[in-house]
Amino acid sequence: MKQVVYTASPESQQIHAWQLQEDGALTLLQVTDVAGQVQPMVVSPKKDFLYVGVRPNFRVLAYRIAADGSLSLAGEAPLPGSPTHISTDRQGSYLFCGSYNDACVSISPIGSDGVPQAPSQVIGGLDGCHSANIDLSNQTLFVPALKQDRICLFQLNSDGTLSPRDQAQVTTVEGAGPRHMAFHPNGAYGYVVNELDSTVDVWALNNVNGQVERVQSLDMMPKDFSDTRWAADIHITPDGRFLYACDRTSSTITAFSISEDGSVLAIEGYQPTETQPRGFNIDHSGQYLVAAGQKSHHIEVYKIADRGLLQPLARYAVGQGPMWVVIHALD
């Protein structure tokens, strides 16, 4: 499997593209200068575009992905606020943007040319909106509002609009601050990392009453940790066996094992990582994890070993303040 790792460095306004070798080594493929602070990124479901949120002139850039993984700018579109997180629906018809500073989530149609258009709908009142996450059925968009300790649930309608579900929201523990989300490959469970108390919640997406329900909450920090909690990102291996979440204050990635049905997490260990790990990701084979240090200006590659524990392989200098990692499978 040929894969490319993209890293976004807003302080130097750059995207680095790296070839991921079979042994986990990275080879620099391309450095792309961006006119603005490049932050969230996502690869289109058809694997032909990399979408990138940029500020301060709030917009999304569409980069065409060549056969070798290199990028060329194909177009751009405005966004209604500062892009904190961007994602697409499972079919690649719509782009979602969550804006923390502007307390909103938006939906933008993606044209037949693969380039997003201007937003067709903006939903406000989401204080600290930190991500927009479509479930595996492509029907429900989960939108964490960090400052409100709630996750709003929207139906993605056939006409490309969002409307509140009958169960319009779920709430977290007060002061938790829900941030990012990952889904189990069986589609039955979702996992949310909470920024302010560094916990991970397990949500059953369709309980016996057809509702979304929290079934477990774990403290992701070591028992002797007493500093400010500041969790950031969360990802799951493609086979659904292991989950990872990072905390920026401690510069740690916590490894969890997952029960076979996806309902129960157990902590396996803690991995010291790059300073202030704002973002990381897992490759499509489930063998490697790549973490970005926002303060170390490096990325580090880990081998995923027994019990999901991480074995450091190598670290690489990137642009300044790297904060987003996306891994793209070329074939």
Side-chain angles (χ1 to χ4, degrees):
M1 179 187 296
K2 295 181 179 179
Q3 299 182 82
V4 174
V5 177
Y6 299 108
T7 57
S9 300
E11 293 176 23
S12 55
Q13 301 184 16
Q14 294 173 313
I15 301 170
H16 286 66
W18 307 81
Q19 293 176 333
L20 177 60
Q21 309 299 331
E22 292 294 330
D23 62 358
L26 296 181
T27 303
L28 185 61
L29 172 68
Q30 182 189 33
V31 179
T32 300
D33 293 323
V34 181
Q37 297 177 11
V38 52
Q39 296 198 347
M41 304 187 297
V42 67
V43 173
S44 65
K46 297 178 182 178
K47 301 182 179 181
D48 51 355
F49 283 90
L50 178 70
Y51 301 127
V52 179
V54 176
R55 65 179 190 180
N57 296 321
F58 308 143
R59 62 200 191 281
V60 57
L61 307 180
Y63 287 92
R64 190 178 303 277
I65 301 174
D68 65 350
S70 59
L71 303 174
S72 60
L73 185 62
E76 64 178 68
L79 292 172
S82 178
T84 303
H85 182 277
I86 60 172
S87 61
T88 73
D89 75 309
R90 301 284 169 177
Q91 299 174 352
S93 300
Y94 305 102
L95 180 125
F96 308 112
C97 177
S99 177
Y100 179 92
N101 291 333
D102 295 275
C104 67
V105 66
S106 63
I107 181 170
S108 302
I110 296 175
S112 58
D113 59 356
V115 177
Q117 302 170 6
S120 56
Q121 184 182 12
V122 180
I123 299 172
L126 303 169
D127 293 348
C129 179
H130 222 300
S131 64
N133 313 271
I134 195 74
D135 68 353
L136 269 60
S137 73
N138 209 45
Q139 296 180 344
T140 301
L141 187 72
F142 291 74
V143 182
L146 184 148
K147 294 182 178 180
Q148 297 169 333
D149 292 320
R150 64 174 179 150
I151 303 169
C152 298
L153 312 178
F154 297 98
Q155 178 75 31
L156 176 59
N157 302 308
S158 58
D159 63 356
T161 60
L162 296 171
S163 57
R165 281 187 19 162
D166 290 341
Q167 182 187 14
Q169 67 177 38
V170 293
T171 57
T172 65
V173 172
E174 184 177 355
R179 181 180 169 97
H180 286 180
M181 189 171 186
F183 295 100
H184 194 278
N186 67 14
Y189 294 91
Y191 312 94
V192 176
V193 63
N194 298 305
E195 175 178 328
L196 303 182
D197 67 0
S198 290
T199 59
V200 173
D201 291 339
V202 181
W203 294 88
L205 304 185
N206 187 20
N207 69 8
V208 293
N209 299 314
Q211 301 285 296
V212 176
E213 177 188 15
R214 186 172 64 248
V215 295
Q216 188 185 18
S217 184
L218 278 83
D219 185 348
M220 60 178 274
M221 303 305 295
K223 294 185 183 301
D224 60 353
F225 181 79
S226 60
D227 206 339
T228 302
R229 291 166 178 253
W230 198 25
D233 207 3
I234 187 168
H235 291 281
I236 189 171
T237 55
D239 61 8
R241 294 181 60 203
F242 303 112
L243 184 82
Y244 301 88
C246 60
D247 178 87
R248 287 168 287 182
T249 298
S250 62
S251 297
T252 300
I253 298 174
T254 303
F256 302 84
S257 57
I258 307 174
S259 63
E260 187 172 354
D261 68 351
S263 65
V264 179
L265 300 179
I267 292 177
E268 295 293 338
Y270 307 96
Q271 176 63 50
T273 189
E274 295 294 320
T275 306
Q276 197 167 302
R278 166 58 179 75
F280 69 94
N281 221 313
I282 297 167
D283 87 303
H284 294 266
S285 73
Q287 297 183 79
Y288 303 108
L289 183 150
V290 182
Q294 194 170 9
K295 294 299 184 183
S296 71
H297 314 300
H298 280 69
I299 57 174
E300 189 163 8
V301 181
Y302 299 89
K303 173 76 173 177
I304 297 176
D306 293 343
R307 298 174 30 235
L309 299 178
L310 300 177
Q311 296 179 351
L313 295 181
R315 60 195 301 262
Y316 304 82
V318 290
Q320 296 298 293
M323 60 179 294
W324 211 272
V325 180
V326 170
I327 303 180
H328 167 54
L330 294 174
D331 52 20

